Amino acid sequence: MKKKFMPEPFKIKAVEPMYLLGREEREEAIKKAGFNTFLLRSNECYIDLLTDSGTNAMSDRQWAGLMTGDEAYAGSRNFYNLEETVREYFGFEYVIPTHQGRGAENILSSLTIKPGDYVPGNMYFTTTRFHQERNGANFRDVICDEAHDPNRDDVPFKGNVDINKFQALIDDVGAEKIPYICLAVTVNLAGGQPVSMGNIKAVSELAHKHGIKVMYDATRCVENAYFIKTREEGYEDVSIKDIVREMFSYGDGCTMSGKKDCITNIGGFLCVNDKDLYTQATAMVVQFEGMPSYGGLAGRDMEAMAIGIREAMDYDYISHRVNQIRYLGEKLEAAGVPMVKPFGGHAIFLDARGFLSHLEQEEFPAQALSSAIYRESGVRTMERGIVSAGRDVKTGENHKPKLETVRLTIPRRVYTYAHLDYVADSIIELYEKRETIKGLQWEYEPSCLRFFTGRFTEK
Ligand SMILES: *Cc1c(COP(=O)(O)O)cnc(C)c1O
């Protein structure tokens, strides 16, 4: 019997107790945290949907793999296992481990960007754009317009690059000023939206015609492959593994945060096909991460990552993961809660402007909503709106993203459908009394990546 929502495709072998603080303690906790959910302590949270980054539950095989860690300073066998696995599943020639995704972003950006260059991307990601700009690049968003509209739910591949925008940038600044296009699969900040294989091919053709490299942000490539399998014609019968391989066959390398689709708690890597770039990257990784055969990771972490990559390609695993997101989304949708649609691969994004239509964007509706959700239910979520978008590096003005969202991110293999029921019920209750939620103002605004440590007070 196949149900609409099949149960978790795993049994629970070890448990971690969780506690719900009382209402007054939660009030106290969020005030102490400056109305920033990043500054709450984990033990103050009940269900923690802050992020799916590094919050994954590893399998019994991954835990067993930790015991096979070869902690040699150089040439650990776990590195060779990881290298072989990444080559097999991603198809890139050279693999350099890094402590996490941003370590790979740092190396790629430093080695390929000259001041005054342009790096196009299908919407930005916080740390990715930070490293591009830190090295003097101008970031240009070339995602399709529909991605910026939370209400367009008729677009199956909202992460697609608008080829005309990419072409216009080439015409405008010249291909020699564009070292690479950063192609995110899926697009986190657009709501976990996928890119179609057709679009990947088109981007690759245009880029390569002009000598521009295609570098993937591969962080959620398995989720992207699932959407291709279920939404793109001709891929119904192709395995997740083969879809991932094909996606990457059109590019020149990738940065990867292992904390997402490698189902581990730490790790990442950089892949390239270009031998010179690889040689330069090995010279740089020793300065910032460690030997090219460990890149800031323990041998055991590399082993867990290699096993996680193989497990992530399993159809039952990935269909359960994406269906959990859909389950939560459909419950909220039935109650009329405004969200980014279609639902993405790792999270539900509440549309905070729709939810709190009585607040201006300068009153930080998404920040206010994520604090209110915590206060109401003990559920921790994250702002992805004007606070995360930061300020323009040149003018100092706030970026004002059209998407002002609160992200409910589902960790991999951690929570069950019953946990999601609690989350949905709490948010629906809050929606019914939404006009009681107040706007916020800065108490302390950090100069970069301000969402991590910024503090607010209630208006
Ligand atoms: C998490 C993430 C990164 C950065 O990876 P870290 O491992 O957190 O450094 C880059 N891109 C996307 C899309 C991400 O979600």
Side-chain angles (χ1 to χ4, degrees):
M1 187 185 62
K2 204 93 177 145
K3 292 178 144 185
K4 183 174 174 203
F5 292 103
M6 287 295 280
E8 282 69 29
F10 48 79
K11 294 189 282 185
I12 295 164
K13 182 160 356 205
V15 298
E16 182 181 346
M18 48 192 268
Y19 303 97
L20 176 60
L21 294 184
R23 166 106 205 176
E24 275 170 26
E25 293 166 299
R26 298 199 299 267
E27 293 264 2
E28 199 49 41
I30 193 71
K31 262 196 207 131
K32 205 177 73 215
F35 295 89
N36 184 350
T37 52
F38 276 98
L39 300 179
L40 287 166
R41 292 180 179 209
S42 155
N43 63 6
E44 291 166 339
C45 304
Y46 181 49
I47 294 175
D48 197 347
L49 306 185
L50 183 71
T51 174
D52 61 336
S53 179
T55 52
N56 307 306
M58 294 206 294
S59 68
D60 51 355
R61 278 162 220 199
Q62 285 175 294
W63 281 102
L66 294 185
M67 283 307 291
T68 67
D70 170 4
E71 307 304 345
Y73 190 83
S76 157
R77 71 169 166 264
N78 310 114
F79 165 71
Y80 295 107
N81 186 19
L82 175 67
E83 182 184 55
E84 195 183 304
T85 305
V86 175
R87 277 191 185 141
E88 177 186 342
Y89 285 83
F90 285 48
F92 295 118
E93 190 55 35
Y94 302 106
V95 184
I96 298 180
T98 55
H99 75 287
Q100 55 185 83
R102 68 199 69 182
E105 291 168 354
N106 178 28
I107 295 172
L108 176 69
S109 305
S110 307
L111 292 178
T112 55
I113 293 169
K114 297 186 301 306
D117 278 352
Y118 290 79
V119 177
N122 48 346
M123 210 174 258
Y124 81 102
F125 184 74
T126 53
T127 59
T128 321
R129 188 179 69 190
F130 172 79
H131 280 292
Q132 292 160 359
E133 290 178 341
R134 201 174 81 91
N135 286 284
N138 300 286
F139 169 80
R140 284 290 181 274
D141 185 5
V142 293
I143 204 167
C144 60
D145 286 336
E146 294 89 337
H148 292 282
D149 181 353
N151 299 316
R152 281 297 297 272
D153 63 354
D154 56 336
V155 187
F157 292 100
K158 250 178 153 177
N160 279 358
V161 168
D162 181 333
I163 296 293
N164 293 327
K165 286 188 196 172
F166 184 22
Q167 178 73 60
L169 179 68
I170 297 172
D171 295 344
D172 192 25
V173 305
E176 64 291 344
K177 286 220 157 203
I178 308 177
Y180 64 93
I181 178 167
C182 175
L183 187 60
V185 286
T186 60
V187 185
N188 188 348
L189 294 197
Q193 303 294 335
V195 181
S196 71
M197 195 73 86
N199 191 248
I200 294 175
K201 276 192 230 174
V203 167
S204 165
E205 254 169 52
L206 179 58
H208 289 155
K209 191 170 101 189
H210 292 276
I212 298 167
K213 283 195 163 71
V214 177
M215 302 303 291
Y216 298 85
D217 180 339
T219 297
R220 293 186 183 78
C221 59
V222 185
E223 290 161 16
N224 200 86
Y226 177 81
F227 285 118
I228 289 178
K229 185 174 172 71
T230 51
R231 292 182 184 169
E232 193 163 351
E233 220 182 301
Y235 288 92
E236 318 64 30
D237 298 324
V238 185
S239 69
I240 298 291
K241 177 181 175 181
D242 288 346
I243 294 175
V244 169
R245 260 307 276 243
E246 185 184 338
M247 280 163 47
F248 291 141
S249 70
Y250 303 113
D252 305 282
C254 72
T255 55
M256 180 73 184
S257 171
K259 304 173 72 171
K260 294 22 177 290
D261 273 359
C262 301
I263 332 185
T264 51
N265 305 122
I266 194 70
F269 50 85
L270 171 69
C271 292
V272 295
N273 284 336
D274 182 309
K275 184 147 194 233
D276 284 343
L277 187 54
Y278 168 70
T279 309
Q280 292 170 45
T282 54
M284 195 174 166
V285 76
V286 292
Q287 298 170 35
F288 291 98
E289 309 277 327
M291 283 286 287
S293 62
Y294 75 86
L297 295 172
R300 55 180 174 268
D301 298 328
M302 293 188 282
E303 189 63 27
M305 196 150 64
I307 298 169
I309 291 169
R310 291 172 187 275
E311 290 182 355
M313 305 287 167
D314 175 58
Y315 179 78
D316 288 342
Y317 154 76
I318 189 62
S319 70
H320 168 262
R321 165 151 184 74
V322 178
N323 273 320
Q324 275 205 323
I325 318 295
R326 189 161 64 91
Y327 177 83
L328 177 59
E330 286 180 3
K331 280 210 136 187
L332 293 170
E333 188 172 37
V337 175
M339 284 169 288
V340 176
K341 284 184 267 182
F343 309 130
H346 68 299
I348 289 298
F349 287 69
L350 302 178
D351 173 11
R353 290 189 210 236
F355 204 112
L356 300 180
S357 50
H358 60 286
L359 297 185
E360 300 293 325
Q361 195 169 21
E362 282 81 3
E363 297 175 293
F364 310 121
Q367 191 76 32
L369 181 54
S370 72
S371 320
I373 291 170
Y374 172 75
R375 194 154 47 184
E376 212 52 38
S377 63
V379 174
R380 171 152 70 170
T381 61
M382 176 193 291
E383 192 265 7
R384 278 300 183 217
I386 186 168
V387 177
S388 294
R391 290 178 184 275
D392 187 292
V393 280
K394 291 222 175 85
T395 66
E397 293 294 312
N398 279 315
H399 288 296
K400 286 193 186 151
K402 289 206 187 97
L403 291 181
E404 177 74 23
T405 62
V406 168
R407 194 178 78 180
L408 313 175
T409 338
I410 314 295
R412 293 169 187 76
R413 304 192 291 209
V414 172
Y415 294 117
T416 65
Y417 283 111
H419 292 113
L420 301 182
D421 286 338
Y422 175 88
V423 173
D425 293 344
S426 311
I427 289 172
I428 292 166
E429 232 172 78
L430 185 62
Y431 185 59
E432 279 152 15
K433 50 177 178 185
R434 56 192 177 274
E435 58 299 322
T436 61
I437 299 173
K438 295 188 191 129
L440 300 174
Q441 60 206 0
W442 285 112
E443 183 186 77
Y444 158 62
E445 183 186 345
S447 61
C448 71
L449 297 172
R450 62 188 184 176
F451 56 95
F452 280 128
T453 53
R455 299 181 66 84
F456 301 82
T457 53
E458 260 183 327
K459 270 195 154 171

